[in-house]
Amino acid sequence: MSALEEQVINIFNKLFDELKGEFAQPSEINSPWMTEIQLAEYWQLRNKDGELTVHSIRKWTTRPDNPLPCGNLGEIRRYHKDDVDRWAREEAERQRKANKQKGRNGLPAIGD
């Protein structure tokens, strides 16, 4: 192996070590703060091809009513596990109440 090849390998290894925290599995997360990708893995958000997707996370974070809570570190959003767990429970309850107010066909239920 040439000296140039060794330098390239060392550069890639350092880059990999720096980036692997961005793609850590939830079981490897030691901090309660998660990136969008880590939150998508935690919530098992996958598209029809089985790939992780952060589209819904971004949509929920930017909606005007009851947004998904996050903190920003510069331009990088971080999501606190306790906050997103609480939000998910509250959102599920909001959805249940909204669906209860509608009939099966989307019209208001009789007697409501």
Side-chain angles (χ1 to χ4, degrees):
M1 183 179 309
S2 72
L4 179 59
E5 289 173 321
E6 286 183 38
Q7 286 179 327
V8 170
I9 289 171
N10 287 336
I11 290 170
F12 277 110
N13 285 337
K14 286 179 184 178
L15 181 60
F16 176 76
D17 288 340
E18 290 175 16
L19 291 177
K20 71 180 174 184
E22 283 291 313
F23 303 103
Q25 299 296 318
S27 61
E28 297 172 355
I29 298 171
N30 295 326
S31 169
W33 290 96
M34 296 180 274
T35 64
E36 289 176 336
I37 292 171
Q38 290 168 330
L39 180 56
E41 181 68 37
Y42 175 62
W43 278 349
Q44 301 174 20
L45 300 176
R46 298 187 179 276
N47 63 20
K48 63 182 179 183
D49 297 325
E51 300 164 340
L52 282 177
T53 178
V54 297
H55 175 75
S56 295
I57 293 170
R58 290 178 181 165
K59 183 177 75 172
W60 295 326
T61 300
T62 58
R63 71 184 193 182
D65 295 330
N66 302 310
L68 179 62
C70 69
N72 291 321
L73 297 172
E75 295 181 9
I76 299 173
R77 288 186 181 133
R78 299 286 184 186
Y79 298 85
H80 195 279
K81 184 179 183 303
D82 295 341
D83 293 341
V84 297
D85 286 344
R86 183 180 318 106
W87 180 89
R89 285 189 301 275
E90 292 169 356
E91 183 63 16
E93 184 61 27
R94 281 191 291 274
Q95 293 295 322
R96 275 192 290 277
K97 286 179 182 178
N99 288 335
K100 190 175 182 180
Q101 290 175 349
K102 294 180 183 178
R104 292 176 67 136
N105 58 4
L107 299 173
I110 296 173
D112 285 350

